[in-house]
Amino acid sequence: MVFSLVNNQEKKYTTKIQSITNFSNLSVEMREAADLIKSNEVVAFPTETVYGLGANAFSAEAVSKIFQAKGRPADNPIIVHVFSYEMFIQVTSEIARLDLVKKLQKRFWPGPLTLIVQKSNQVPYITTGNLETVAVRMPNNPIALALIRESNLPIAAPSANISGSPSPTTALDVFEDMNGKIPLIIDGGKSEIGLESTVLDISNPVKKPIILRPGKITQSEIEECLGTEVEIFDISTLKTGNGEVKARSPGMKYRHYAPKAEVELLSDFNSFKAMFNEKRMKKDKIGLILDNKYLSRLKTESLLASDVQLYHYSTLEEFASNLYFKLREMDKKQVSVIIILFNETTGIGKAIQNRLLKASTKK
Ligand code: TXA
Ligand code: MG
């Protein structure tokens, strides 16, 4: 027992961070990354949403290494990333609603939309957390697409963070969580969107399509594309009578996206201010996150103490792309509580709110 503990903590790999600028032709660096995928090793790579921790989706051995590196619960299924529609067909079977699939792919792929469909026999159950369905997306990032193309395998990839913590949006964020656990991190700069893809379940032919995780692609954009109503799974209704969380998508039941600091989420300025005062009285080291438009109110009420870590933003897109990075940064500054003022639900605001609600779930 003690033995296996020691083994788990051992650094298995010397983790290399490699930037790849030449992905149009097959460069040496890209070949090295693709060879690792082909030999069932794990490679972290950039996507337009967040960094992914990738491995051959068809190999149970390769996918088990992802679970090990992340410390991920085995019932949490992994998104499979494909390069082409032919590859999509390889991982799925019996697409009950091919018409819907085609419309969605035409409009949103490559891009931050993950589709849940029936899995093919080639996809092992470890990839899908024992489900008959599989989550698939085509990422809109040249490095990600080149890696899948060159390894010629669908790549299973969750976000490249330790299970439960904020997703990484830079190669260095990945390094912090994965140093010694994987051989290679491909550096593609900062993730553009900063929040994970929208997850849409279309696997049940007699039910309306349902969004299991909101993302940049919104409910109304999907409804407009399909010309039908689309449901959205609201995490505020997740709790059952005994306080347990009802999980529709297995990943929904865990505290997620969370920094080490406690997160307090408030929806109006007065309660935000009251919380700030309460925490200041306790001499907590505080991080504050809020929209620029409230800054002047904070200042005029001379609330800003010098040791407060402040992040303010001017657009929702800017907030989305910096959120995880700022949560990680505040942890490094060792704040004990992060107080966030947020109440937007339009556009990507819905996805931001979803992540904030989960990050503020008490441990
Ligand atoms: O943007 C993204 O989606 C990123 C990048 C790397 O592509 N990936 C990502 O993966 O966020 P991950 O593993 O952190 O989140 C996958 C989510 C989880 O909530 C999981 O439960 C859900 O998708 N999921 C995967 N397969 C599913 C399935 N068959 N049925 C229901 N939910 C599924
Ligand atoms: Mg994740």
Side-chain angles (χ1 to χ4, degrees):
M1 193 64 195
V2 174
F3 226 81
S4 70
L5 262 178
V6 171
N7 273 342
N8 282 341
Q9 285 167 358
E10 229 172 57
K11 286 204 164 107
K12 279 194 178 161
Y13 299 94
T14 305
T15 304
K16 181 159 116 183
I17 303 183
Q18 176 73 61
S19 50
I20 297 186
T21 43
N22 176 5
F23 35 82
S24 52
N25 297 320
L26 189 53
S27 64
V28 177
E29 292 81 14
M30 187 53 83
R31 203 155 47 222
E32 188 196 351
D35 283 347
L36 283 168
I37 295 287
K38 283 193 271 192
S39 54
N40 293 339
E41 293 293 339
V42 175
V43 174
F45 63 96
T47 83
E48 79 280 32
T49 57
V50 300
Y51 274 71
L53 199 58
N56 176 2
F58 287 152
S59 160
E61 181 207 345
V63 174
S64 75
K65 292 181 184 168
I66 298 178
F67 281 91
Q68 252 170 24
K70 267 186 83 91
R72 185 177 176 104
D75 66 348
N76 197 355
I78 298 181
I79 296 174
V80 174
H81 297 68
V82 297
F83 162 72
S84 63
Y85 300 100
E86 291 71 33
M87 205 178 248
F88 169 74
I89 297 298
Q90 282 177 20
V91 301
T92 58
S93 70
E94 263 190 65
I95 303 166
R97 293 156 133 192
L98 198 56
D99 53 328
L100 297 193
V101 170
K102 280 189 172 158
K103 278 188 197 169
L104 292 165
Q105 291 179 339
K106 188 159 183 244
R107 166 95 183 261
F108 299 113
W109 279 16
L113 178 69
T114 295
L115 299 177
I116 311 267
V117 290
Q118 295 299 315
K119 81 172 193 72
S120 74
N121 288 337
Q122 261 184 290
V123 180
Y125 282 108
I126 185 172
T127 304
T128 66
N130 268 328
L131 297 171
E132 292 301 332
T133 54
V134 63
V136 196
R137 88 177 187 99
M138 189 186 287
N140 188 15
N141 175 290
I143 296 176
L145 289 171
L147 181 65
I148 308 166
R149 186 190 63 220
E150 296 311 335
S151 47
N152 198 24
L153 286 166
I155 296 185
S159 49
N161 51 287
I162 289 171
S163 199
S165 52
S167 298
T169 52
T170 67
L172 272 181
D173 288 350
V174 179
F175 188 76
E176 272 167 22
D177 284 17
M178 294 298 151
N179 183 18
K181 297 178 183 166
I182 60 173
L184 179 65
I185 299 166
I186 306 177
D187 188 348
K190 189 163 179 277
S191 310
E192 199 185 310
I193 297 171
L195 293 184
E196 304 82 352
S197 61
T198 305
V199 176
L200 181 70
D201 189 348
I202 46 170
S203 63
N204 188 333
V206 295
K207 287 204 174 139
K208 285 183 197 148
I210 178 165
I211 294 174
L212 301 182
R213 180 176 72 185
K216 184 173 193 295
I217 294 172
T218 62
Q219 182 180 19
S220 55
E221 285 176 305
I222 296 170
E223 285 181 334
E224 190 209 308
C225 166
L226 293 178
T228 56
E229 216 180 296
V230 169
E231 284 181 50
I232 185 157
F233 199 77
D234 187 354
I235 64 165
S236 56
T237 61
L238 267 177
K239 293 262 158 69
T240 62
N242 59 13
E244 238 173 58
V245 172
K246 260 197 282 178
R248 167 85 184 226
S249 169
M252 287 174 162
K253 67 185 180 203
Y254 306 104
R255 182 176 190 256
H256 239 108
Y257 320 115
K260 294 184 188 85
E262 178 195 345
V263 176
E264 295 287 356
L265 177 63
L266 288 313
S267 60
D268 66 278
F269 186 78
N270 286 338
S271 29
F272 174 80
K273 201 175 68 179
M275 179 63 74
F276 183 38
N277 282 331
E278 183 192 317
K279 297 293 181 188
R280 267 209 310 180
M281 304 273 261
K282 289 194 196 150
K283 304 239 180 296
D284 281 339
K285 182 148 191 206
I286 299 169
L288 293 181
I289 298 182
L290 76 174
D291 189 312
N292 267 342
K293 67 185 179 203
Y294 294 107
L295 260 193
S296 56
R297 282 175 77 182
L298 255 191
K299 279 183 182 153
T300 52
E301 296 174 40
S302 57
L303 280 168
L304 279 183
S306 56
D307 63 339
V308 168
Q309 294 298 316
L310 177 67
Y311 170 60
H312 53 94
Y313 55 88
S314 50
T315 66
L316 291 178
E317 283 69 26
E318 180 192 331
F319 185 24
S321 78
N322 290 326
L323 171 63
Y324 291 142
F325 189 78
K326 290 292 168 186
L327 293 179
R328 282 173 174 265
E329 191 177 72
M330 287 187 181
D331 267 347
K332 277 180 229 155
K333 303 250 162 79
Q334 297 190 314
V335 308
S336 54
V337 57
I338 302 171
I339 309 172
I340 305 175
L341 174 57
F342 196 79
N343 54 15
E344 294 286 339
T345 51
T346 54
I348 201 166
K350 184 101 193 161
I352 297 174
Q353 197 188 47
N354 167 275
R355 306 309 190 273
L356 293 177
L357 278 168
K358 299 202 77 183
S360 60
T361 303
K362 301 295 173 206
K363 286 177 213 183

